[in-house]
Amino acid sequence: MSDFRLSSLPSADRSDVAVRLREALLGADFTADGLLELLGASAYAALARSEVVPALRATRGDTALEALVRLFLLQQAVDRARVEAVLPVDACVESGWLVRVGEKGDEIAAAVDVRPYGGPGGEDWFIVSDLGCAVGGAGGIGSRDEGVVLGVGGASTTLAGITVRTPVGSALDLGTGSGIQALHAAQHATRVTATDLNPRALHITALTLALSGAPAADLRQGSLFEPVRADETYDLIVSNPPFVISPGARLTYRDGGMGGDELCQTLVQQAGARLNEGGFAQFLANWQHVEGEDWQERLRSWVPRGCDAWIVQREVQDVTQYAELWLRDAGDHRGDVAEYQARYDAWLDEFEARKVKGVGFGWITLRKSAAADSEPSVVVEEWPHPVEQPLGEAVRQHFARVDYLRANDDAALLAAHFRLTAEVVQEQVGLPGAEDPEHVVLRQNRGMRRAAKVDTVGAGFAGVCDGTLSAGRILDAIAQLVNEDPVALRDRTPGQIRLLVEQGFLEPAR
């Protein structure tokens, strides 16, 4: 399709135009907050579902902001005079951000979608994507062309939220797409490298960074780690890869082109050699649930030597649900019925040949650690429950707890001082009117929002932990209260303490 040539994109070299365009957009309050105020919550939420009618109704006035919303978000042609009152039209047309339309060229249209995006620190950013591709999945985007570049979807924001945001020297964004992960990384990394198999994606990433006022990234074309030199390592690697398990590689933005979940496996296995000591690699991924295999052991086998890992499965779909999801993502359900059914059939043939009964989706985090060479910590768990984003700090703390527990045996735990972490509450569960609860639950109201069932000793121990007394002294006091041998209690309790620390209910106080 001719309209997907790189030459049809705005110039990434005209940084002066990007600066002027950014200033004009901000001056008109074309920001995430400004849009919410103009459109209202209902129309604003509808835009995230690729539904434009409510926003069209909310922008029937003549303000500068309404003109920009119609131009960049709704892809409507706008009278040239209205646009000239807001933007440097000639410069934007010359550099490719805008195009003249209409018989006399008296209307202006956008060449790309430009969508306000609020950064984690209140920054006003702008995400560039192909027209009609700001939100993936809802509009049959994939049916248009395999080279399209999508904007920000749920997967993008999930990965951004779980990423560890400590200051680093170098970050690598694999499969950058519209550049959202590179944009986030630029806020805490001295040097950002972004790769993509699609050259159009690299160009759009450059536009996103320039229009958002972020430093330029080192952009490289190629698949996965191919564009990275053999001697290059990073402090942070992130990727929202084309993880969809599909028969073939029809759509570049989502289909990996390898058999089954091999692309995700390869990405994880190769990441270890690319990390600096203490560095993190964080990915979204799909994985197969194969008949006769333990899915958790399957994922453990992916973890490279020298890395700790935390893998969280958020969702599992059976093969028919999975095929239907991605056929609809491509808009195939709106086309020829026979062709749709043939593609559906091919998907099921692929799964049947591989003995796949379901597909899992979730997060994979690796942390390079010298200690992991001899004693790796690999946690693979299923957690479909609600969590509190952003989770980056919770991820960092998980691995800090791994280091602490690896360095402290049971005797050291008994000598240590602990305190209950913030936002942990205790729930007693039992029949109404019963003298004693059937069991006690500790529940987190932050981060992963875990719940842990504990016995009377565990509940009493956690309730007393304020950092004042050592764990051993607390247990001795509890032993007296429950009339139990203190030595026996010390022997049987460290495992429960270790679990409460591992899951983030308790933290070392010293």
Side-chain angles (χ1 to χ4, degrees):
M1 297 174 62
S2 61
D3 60 327
F4 281 85
R5 295 176 300 177
L6 284 178
S7 58
S8 70
L9 285 169
S11 169
D13 299 325
R14 293 291 305 277
S15 59
D16 59 324
V17 177
V19 170
R20 292 172 62 191
L21 179 55
R22 173 177 172 78
E23 290 175 349
L25 295 178
L26 293 177
D29 205 20
F30 187 68
T31 64
D33 289 342
L35 288 186
L36 181 58
E37 184 176 348
L38 171 68
L39 301 178
S42 178
Y44 189 83
L47 271 181
R49 302 189 299 270
S50 291
E51 296 291 350
V52 300
V53 171
L56 285 169
R57 293 174 61 85
T59 55
R60 290 179 290 192
D62 58 1
T63 67
L65 180 55
E66 287 168 299
L68 292 176
V69 170
R70 283 187 164 250
L71 187 67
F72 285 118
L73 269 65
L74 306 180
Q75 279 85 62
Q76 302 289 306
V78 179
D79 181 76
R80 179 186 176 99
R82 286 192 65 190
V83 180
E84 284 181 329
V86 190
L87 303 178
V89 170
D90 289 339
C92 288
V93 168
E94 181 182 351
S95 60
W97 289 96
L98 303 175
V99 294
R100 299 184 182 93
V101 295
E103 293 183 3
K104 299 180 180 179
D106 54 356
E107 289 186 315
I108 300 295
V112 288
D113 186 293
V114 175
R115 192 151 300 225
Y117 178 87
E123 302 91 347
D124 288 316
W125 292 340
F126 299 96
I127 308 301
V128 182
S129 63
D130 277 313
L131 294 175
C133 298
V135 181
I141 289 168
S143 63
R144 290 174 41 188
D145 191 283
E146 68 172 15
V148 297
V149 179
L150 304 188
V152 176
S156 303
T157 55
T158 293
L159 179 59
I162 68 171
T163 301
V164 177
R165 297 297 176 192
T166 54
V168 295
S170 56
L172 173 64
D173 176 16
L174 293 173
T176 188
S178 60
I180 179 61
Q181 308 305 329
L183 178 57
H184 275 279
Q187 310 309 303
H188 63 104
T190 304
R191 175 173 57 90
V192 177
T193 301
T195 73
D196 205 290
L197 183 63
N198 181 4
R200 186 176 183 86
L202 297 176
H203 194 100
I204 283 184
T205 291
L207 300 178
T208 290
L209 294 173
L211 195 58
S212 297
D218 178 5
L219 304 176
R220 305 181 191 179
Q221 185 182 357
S223 177
L224 301 182
F225 289 102
E226 286 178 2
V228 180
R229 297 192 303 270
D231 61 343
E232 287 182 301
T233 55
Y234 297 85
D235 302 309
L236 174 66
I237 300 172
V238 294
S239 183
N240 178 17
F243 55 67
V244 175
I245 300 171
S246 60
R250 183 164 63 107
L251 304 175
T252 306
Y253 71 85
R254 70 168 203 194
D255 300 327
M258 298 185 184
D261 52 17
E262 186 179 346
L263 182 137
C264 292
Q265 178 183 2
T266 300
L267 182 62
V268 173
Q269 291 180 331
Q270 293 182 354
R274 298 296 185 174
L275 283 175
N276 294 325
E277 178 68 16
F280 288 92
Q282 299 187 261
F283 315 114
L284 301 184
N286 273 170
W287 43 79
Q288 298 173 148
H289 284 234
V290 180
E291 185 177 345
E293 288 187 17
D294 184 321
W295 69 270
Q296 293 176 312
E297 289 303 317
R298 178 183 184 84
L299 291 176
R300 286 190 181 94
S301 72
W302 292 7
V303 178
R305 182 176 177 82
C307 288
D308 296 315
W310 184 19
I311 302 173
V312 181
Q313 179 168 275
R314 296 289 287 158
E315 182 183 4
V316 182
Q317 291 183 310
D318 68 41
V319 293
T320 57
Q321 290 175 314
Y322 189 80
E324 290 164 15
L325 169 68
W326 295 109
L327 286 166
R328 288 178 177 274
D329 170 86
D332 292 327
H333 62 301
R334 298 179 177 178
D336 180 80
V337 173
E339 187 175 353
Y340 171 82
Q341 292 178 343
R343 284 177 172 162
Y344 198 154
D345 205 33
W347 223 304
L348 297 184
D349 283 344
E350 177 83 4
F351 285 135
E352 184 177 346
R354 295 180 177 275
K355 298 183 178 180
V356 176
K357 58 183 181 179
V359 179
F361 167 80
W363 320 322
I364 298 177
T365 299
L366 307 178
R367 195 272 307 262
K368 189 71 171 285
S369 170
D373 281 330
S374 57
E375 192 182 349
S377 169
V378 179
V379 177
V380 183
E381 62 176 321
E382 186 167 18
W383 191 255
H385 312 294
V387 299
E388 182 189 49
Q389 285 276 35
L391 270 172
E393 179 57 18
V395 172
R396 188 198 65 77
Q397 290 175 358
H398 167 88
F399 289 95
R401 294 192 296 269
V402 165
D403 290 339
Y404 176 83
L405 293 172
R406 189 157 44 198
N408 289 272
D409 59 16
D410 287 354
L413 289 183
L414 291 174
H417 295 240
F418 297 98
R419 60 172 167 256
L420 204 62
T421 54
E423 302 292 334
V424 172
V425 298
Q426 175 180 302
E427 298 176 0
Q428 295 185 342
V429 181
L431 293 174
E435 184 175 347
D436 296 313
E438 293 180 11
H439 60 266
V440 177
V441 174
L442 299 180
R443 189 177 300 278
Q444 300 168 348
N445 287 322
R446 304 294 299 273
M448 291 293 288
R449 293 178 173 166
R450 296 186 186 277
K453 183 178 177 180
V454 293
D455 58 19
T456 303
V457 171
F461 179 85
V464 176
C465 281
D466 61 2
T468 304
L469 299 175
S470 69
R473 290 189 63 186
I474 293 174
L475 291 177
D476 290 343
I478 291 175
Q480 283 189 318
L481 289 173
V482 300
N483 196 27
E484 185 171 341
D485 180 4
V487 176
L489 190 60
R490 279 173 172 255
D491 284 345
R492 72 177 177 85
T493 308
Q496 191 170 184
I497 296 174
R498 190 172 292 274
L499 182 62
L500 291 176
V501 172
E502 178 184 324
Q503 295 191 344
F505 290 94
L506 296 176
E507 60 185 6
R510 301 181 183 178

